[in-house]
C-alpha cells in the first residue's frame, strides 16, 4: 500500500470525471477564515504533494502558501468539533449540541463544501464518584466525519476529500486517560516484526473501548470510512483522500485513526488502490514507540505534526528514542536524556511520527504562558503568520 501513495512516480487520476450522486454545487464553498483572510488558492493536481506524498519535502521551510491555507482550513474543522461540544450536563460526559446536517454551519463554518456524515463518540475512563461521573461505559461526542460534496470545492481541491476531525480533552475521564502514559502492545500484523508496536495505554483505551450506546471509536471510524470508500470510490469517480485532524488529545486520536485505516487496508485482499490517508496534528503528544512509527509509515500513512516549540504537550509522554535519530550531536544528546535501555525498561521509549512543522510562539507572542502556548487558536495564528520564514525554527 505504501508504494501506491508515495514516491515521485505515483500517478493520481484527474478530477475531471463524473461525480457521485448527492454531489451539489454552491456559489461559495471554501472556508473564509479569520486566520487566513485571503481566498484559498486552487490546488488541483498539486493535492498529493500537499497531502504528504513526498513527505512535504521542500514545503515546510519556508511554508508553502497552499499548504499553509490547507493547514488553517483543517484547523478550522477541529475548531468546529470544539464549538459543537456540549459538556454542561456533567463533568465526565458531553454531547454534540447540533444535528449533523447543520453542525458545520452552526459551529461557525457555513461555507465549507463539506457535509457531516457521522458523529463520533469515545468512551473514557470512569471519573471518581465525587465528580458525579457516569458509568465507565458512557461515551462522549469527540468529533465527526465530513465528506466534500460540492462540485466547485472538489474541483478546487483536485479530489473528493473526507475529513475526520477530533477535539481535545474536555471531560474528567479523558483527563484520566491522558495520564496513563505507559505503553501497551498492539496486535502484530505478522511474525516478522523485530519489535512490538506499542502505543500510549490511555489513548489506546479511549480509541478502542466500547460505549453503552456506541461501539468503540475505532469501530466507528473503520465502519464510516469503509462506507464512504464503497460509496465514493471506484472508477469514474474523483480521486478520494482521507484527512484526519485533531488538536491535543484529538491529535493523538488522529494518528491512531490513520494507523487503523492504513493497516486495515494493508490486511485486506482488495486489489483497488486505497485512498491516501493523511493525519494533520496540532499540538499533539507522542503516541507510540519506534516500531509503531515504522509500521504506520510502511502501511502508507502520512503524518504532519504542527508543533509549537514552546508547547510542553508536544514533548510528552515519555522520552523520544528513535533508531534513526538524526541531527547534530547536541540535538541527539538532548533527545536521549537517559540511556536507551533504561528508557525502554521503564516503558517510556516513544518516537515522534511523520514530518514536523516547528513554529515558536516566542517569535510573535513572547509573553504567552504555558497554558496559552497549547491553544489551538494560537497554533492557527502561528501557521497563518508563517509566510515569513523567520517564524519557522529548524
Amino acid at each position: 500500500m505504501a508504494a501506491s501513495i508515495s514516491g515521485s512516480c505515483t500517478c493520481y487520476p484527474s478530477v475531471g470525471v463524473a461525480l457521485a450522486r448527492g454531489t451539489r454545487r454552491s456559489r461559495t464553498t471554501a472556508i473564509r477564515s479569520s486566520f487566513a483572510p485571503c481566498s484559498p488558492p486552487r490546488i488541483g493536481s498539486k493535492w498529493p504533494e500537499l497531502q504528504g506524498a513526498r513527505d512535504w519535502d521542500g514545503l515546510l521551510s519556508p511554508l508553502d502558501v497552499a499548504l499553509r491555507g490547507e493547514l488553517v482550513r483543517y484547523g478550522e474543522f477541529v475548531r468546529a468539533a470544539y464549538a459543537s461540544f456540549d459538556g454542561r450536563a456533567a463533568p465526565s460526559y458531553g454531547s454534540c449540541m447540533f444535528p449533523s446536517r447543520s453542525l458545520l454551519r452552526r459551529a461557525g463554518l457555513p461555507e465549507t463544501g463539506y457535509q457531516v456524515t457521522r458523529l463520533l463518540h469515545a468512551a473514557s475512563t470512569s471519573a471518581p464518584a465525587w465528580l458525579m461521573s457516569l458509568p465507565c461505559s458512557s461515551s462522549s461526542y469527540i468529533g465527526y466525519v465530513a465528506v466534500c460534496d460540492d462540485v466547485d470545492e472538489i474541483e478546487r481541491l483536485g479530489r473528493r476529500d473526507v475529513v475526520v476531525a477530533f477535539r481535545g480533552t474536555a471531560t474528567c475521564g479523558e483527563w484520566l486517560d491522558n495520564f496513563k502514559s505507559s505503553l501497551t502492545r498492539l496486535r502484530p500484523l505478522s511474525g516478522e516484526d523485530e519489535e512490538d508496536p506499542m502505543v500510549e495505554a490511555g489513548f489506546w483505551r479511549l480509541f478502542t473501548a466500547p460505549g453503552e450506546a456506541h461501539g468503540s471509536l475505532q469501530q466507528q471510524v473503520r465502519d464510516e470510512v469503509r462506507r464512504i470508500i464503497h460509496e465514493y470510490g471506484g472508477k469514474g469517480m474523483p480521486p478520494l483522500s482521507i484527512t484526519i485532524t485533531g488538536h491535543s488529545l484529538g491529535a493523538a486520536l488522529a494518528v491512531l485513526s490513520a494507523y487503523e485505516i492504513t493497516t486495515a487496508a494493508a490486511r485486506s485482499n482488495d486489489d483497488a488502490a486505497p485512498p491516501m490517508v493523511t493525519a494533520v496534528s496540532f499540538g499533539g503528544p507522542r503516541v507510540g514507540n519506534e516500531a509503531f512509527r515504522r509500521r504506520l509509515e510502511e502501511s502508507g500513512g502520512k503524518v504532519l505534526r504542527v508543533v509549537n516549540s514552546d508547547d510542553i504537550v508536544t514533548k510528552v509522554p515519555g522520552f523520544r528514542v528513535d533508531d534513526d535519530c538524526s541531527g547534530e550531536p547536541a540535538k541527539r544528546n538532548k533527545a536521549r536524556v537517559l540511556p536507551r535501555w533504561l528508557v525502554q525498561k521503564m516503558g517510556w521509549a516513544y518516537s515522534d511520527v511523520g514530518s514536523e512543522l516547528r513554529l515558536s510562539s516566542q517569535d510573535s507572542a513572547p509573553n504567552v504562558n504555558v497554558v496559552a502556548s497549547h491553544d489551538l487558536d494560537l497554533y492557527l495564528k502561528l501557521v497563518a503568520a508563517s509566510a515569513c520564514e523567520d517564524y519557522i525554527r529548524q
Side-chain angles (χ1 to χ4, degrees):
M1 177 177 176
S4 67
I5 67 172
S6 62
S8 58
C9 296
T10 304
C11 295
Y12 293 87
S14 168
V15 74
V17 293
L19 298 175
R21 63 184 182 278
T23 302
R24 58 190 173 87
R25 183 182 295 275
S26 65
R27 294 182 179 179
T28 308
T29 58
I31 295 175
R32 299 294 186 263
S33 169
S34 59
F35 299 106
C38 299
S39 297
R42 181 180 178 84
I43 294 173
S45 61
K46 190 180 180 181
W47 75 264
E49 186 179 0
L50 297 182
Q51 292 293 107
R54 297 179 179 84
D55 297 317
W56 296 278
D57 182 36
L59 299 180
L60 301 180
S61 181
L63 183 60
D64 179 83
V65 173
L67 178 58
R68 178 188 61 178
E70 287 297 275
L71 292 178
V72 171
R73 191 171 70 91
Y74 288 123
E76 295 278 17
F77 281 113
V78 180
R79 291 181 79 210
Y82 275 114
S84 55
F85 176 75
D86 184 1
R88 294 172 295 179
S92 61
Y93 172 78
S95 60
C96 182
M97 65 175 68
F98 308 129
S100 58
R101 193 71 187 171
S102 60
L103 187 153
L104 294 177
R105 174 178 59 81
R106 298 176 70 177
L109 297 180
E111 300 173 347
T112 63
Y114 288 70
Q115 178 60 52
V116 173
T117 62
R118 181 164 185 168
L119 303 180
L120 300 174
H121 299 78
S124 59
T125 297
S126 179
W130 57 271
L131 286 177
M132 300 171 59
S133 68
L134 294 176
C136 61
S137 59
S138 64
S139 56
S140 294
Y141 163 70
I142 201 164
Y144 59 86
V145 182
V147 178
C148 184
D149 65 347
D150 180 85
V151 173
D152 294 333
E153 186 69 350
I154 291 173
E155 291 178 353
R156 186 187 75 83
L157 294 175
R159 85 280 188 192
R160 185 190 301 277
D161 188 39
V162 179
V163 168
V164 183
F166 295 112
R167 60 165 175 80
T169 307
T171 70
C172 295
E174 290 164 5
W175 277 110
L176 292 176
D177 283 326
N178 284 345
F179 289 106
K180 296 177 181 178
S181 59
S182 61
L183 289 163
T184 186
R185 285 179 171 80
L186 302 184
R187 179 170 60 90
L189 294 181
S190 66
E192 300 177 358
D193 292 325
E194 297 180 0
E195 181 183 357
D196 291 334
M198 304 176 74
V199 296
E200 202 253 22
F203 300 154
W204 187 246
R205 186 208 173 280
L206 191 66
F207 188 59
T208 59
E212 191 173 69
H214 307 275
S216 68
L217 178 59
Q218 179 187 41
Q219 189 64 48
Q220 294 170 59
V221 170
R222 181 189 302 163
D223 291 347
E224 185 63 8
V225 167
R226 184 186 297 121
R227 185 195 68 80
I228 289 171
I229 292 175
H230 177 75
E231 181 173 352
Y232 295 108
K235 294 182 179 180
M237 304 293 284
L240 191 66
S241 67
I242 300 174
T243 309
I244 314 163
T245 184
H247 171 247
S248 193
L249 169 63
L253 295 176
V255 172
L256 291 177
S257 297
Y259 176 88
E260 168 63 28
I261 295 169
T262 56
T263 55
R267 293 192 301 266
S268 70
N269 297 320
D270 193 351
D271 294 332
M276 188 169 188
V277 178
T278 304
V280 178
S281 159
F282 295 95
R286 297 180 183 126
V287 178
N289 66 353
E290 173 68 11
F292 170 78
R293 180 187 69 81
R294 284 198 305 268
R295 184 185 287 182
L296 176 59
E297 292 175 353
E298 290 168 359
S299 67
K302 299 296 181 179
V303 179
L304 178 58
R305 294 178 295 107
V306 183
V307 173
N308 178 3
S309 60
D310 306 298
D311 182 2
I312 188 64
V313 173
T314 63
K315 301 175 175 66
V316 295
F319 295 90
R320 177 186 165 191
V321 175
D322 291 327
D323 289 344
D324 58 348
C325 187
S326 58
E328 299 298 325
K331 291 184 178 180
R332 291 199 299 268
N333 293 337
K334 186 176 181 180
R336 295 183 179 178
V337 180
L338 297 175
R340 180 188 179 93
W341 67 267
L342 180 58
V343 173
Q344 290 180 324
K345 186 73 173 178
M346 294 187 297
W348 293 344
Y350 282 80
S351 177
D352 290 329
V353 300
S355 302
E356 178 181 279
L357 171 63
R358 181 165 290 271
L359 310 169
S360 175
S361 56
Q362 291 300 315
D363 293 331
S364 57
N367 296 322
V368 170
N369 59 35
V370 174
V371 175
S373 66
H374 185 58
D375 185 72
L376 176 61
D377 281 2
L378 176 62
Y379 267 86
L380 299 187
K381 290 176 183 177
L382 291 174
V383 171
S386 59
C388 300
E389 190 171 356
D390 291 340
Y391 284 101
I392 303 179
R393 288 183 177 178
Q394 297 303 315

